[in-house]
Amino acid sequence: MRRSADIDALQHVLSAALGSPDPVCSLRRLDRGTGAFVALDAAVVERPTLVGGGSPYHPSSPAPSRHALDELVRRAETLGVPQILVPNVRRSDDTSALRAAGLVPVAAQSECVVRLTGEVDEILRTRIGAERLDGLRRRDREVSLGVTWERIRLSELDGSPWARDAFVTLHRRQAERHDGHANLYNADALDVLAHGPLADRTELLVRRQQDAVVQAGLITTSHNGRGIYSLTQAIDHDDPAARDGLFAASVYRLYLHARRSGLEWVHLGRGDVPRMRRLGADLFVPLDHWLRAPGLASPEEAGAEHPLSEYAAPPVTGVPVPGPARFRQVPRFDTIDLSSNTNPFLGASGEYPHLDTTELAGTYLATIATLPGHEGVDALSADHLLFSSGSVDGVMLLLAALASPGERVCVTPPTFPLYGHFAHLLRLPVVEVPLHGDDLSQLDTDRILAADPRVTILCDPNNPAGTRLDPEQVHDLVVHGRGLVVIDEAYVEFSEKPSYARLIAQHDNLIVLRTLSKAWGLAGARCGIALAQPGIIDALRRVQVPFGFTNASQHAVRDRLTDVRRVLAGIRRIRAERDRMASALTEHPAVARVFPSETNFLFVRLHKHERVMDQLRGAGIVVADTGRVIPDTCRITIGDRRANTALLEALSSAL
């Protein structure tokens, strides 16, 4: 909960649960089975602690102000309590006041959020897969046959004493199952909540099997009216598998309820990230408990800004990251945003895109780390990644951020023409050092190094040749060059050779560009990715226009990244069809040569080039005519079998 008044209300609930006018207890009583304090000294865990500035209940708390912390310290001194705990603060908040007051972060579980961007079943199908969705729906149907679903507004709880008693009983049993940790939802706590300021926004969820209550929980609507916090759930069953099944079914039912009510998200509370991801959660916000205790030393400050790269162009060094992009790591799903001057009356498209892409960056890195040829990518973090509006946008950003007018840019034709195009627009002299070798896979490293370019841009796998560059030559450029080496890996997923992304953490002059337009099938989402050392990424952010990565694109990317099996299956199909087409074209009398390909296209040298191109155009087939770059050639994208067969037939007609 991001409103101080709501946190204050939950503080009163905690005091009632503890049977004390002030929220004072040991950390052990608050742990509730999460093990957050298990690494602390036993004396610290058992010592009386004043809980303030936040709530140990599920919603996270805004970092308290310096004034609020001063009040908290004075209160602890008055009570004679030696320790202070501020629980569940988002790591992305400004925590400087907490550090200044002598509090130390203790890592807690992340809070887990499900964002409802469309119909529930469609969202879950893309996030967790059809098989798991079918299992979730089946479990919901099975549960619903014998178990009711009831919602009781907490302000009206006095009229349902049976629900109150069942809630209290189930939560007492749950606390007993968790090794006797404190029951933070006993009768006194529930009564204070039911008669407090949150009562009108909070409902008690009850599931009954005949006359017996088997599940009871609390949900509350956020103060911005756009989502639901799940405060607690207790299930009356000794079998953990049965409890998990009923919990999952109820979460699914909660999604449906939220969507029907026009809400945009469901906050599931803190929890195990893999488990919550399997339930459809797509936003995970890291939390810390902040503790002040005698003798507790503060660790090295985490999350500090990385120093700007020495490769940043002089104008970039003197400017900050622009405007709201400075707060890109701050999730704002549960705040009221009155800062953006947008129209609130025309739906969600009237809002600016989310800037909190840290979780999405982590998901991308974790996903590609499982792919062949990507060993070592798990050493990268979200600080090593920038999302752009397609990888072409990434080229423009890096040239603007890392090169000054007059500094040379080296390209290696045949290559993607927009590298040189953008360099010319930015008044950067372009040095062309052509590829050589039968397969156009050899670099003239001596000429490139002699040119001493500020930036060398390599396309690997190459477009339009389709071949991979010699890795030893690429390595020589990275190690021996004084400038930056940029490797555009738009087609790397189709290759059986490794990605250079694994080397990012080892070289401060290496940038790898990726895209989701090719193998991932998201050309319309316009998602490019730059991987580099954090100091370079910071320089790119200072040039990038905020809000270029739209919400629709973010949703599409997030869903596709959770459907890797489908992507890999598509890559296998393209490779198989590529091999079939390469074989057929090699034997075709209209074709002089088919270059080896590690992409989703074939580079072909033709007999009677102009005649063949005219015939293809007449057949309604468009291929890339590369004859001006390499005489008598074209580049043929691998389509589906029908399209590829049509191309072969059209080629035969050209003879």
Side-chain angles (χ1 to χ4, degrees), residues 449-482:
L449 292 172
D452 193 23
R454 176 67 170 184
V455 182
T456 299
I457 307 179
L458 307 176
C459 190
D460 188 32
N462 180 267
N463 174 15
T467 51
R468 293 298 300 265
L469 299 175
D470 184 326
E472 292 186 8
Q473 293 181 324
V474 173
H475 185 262
D476 284 346
L477 288 181
V478 174
V479 172
H480 299 300
R482 294 197 305 167

Side-chain angles (χ1 to χ4, degrees), residues 564-574:
V564 180
R565 286 188 297 179
R566 183 182 173 199
V567 173
L568 293 177
I571 292 172
R572 287 193 296 270
R573 291 180 65 184
I574 287 173

Side-chain angles (χ1 to χ4, degrees), residues 19 114 164 193 312 420:
V114 178
R164 174 188 180 277
L193 188 60

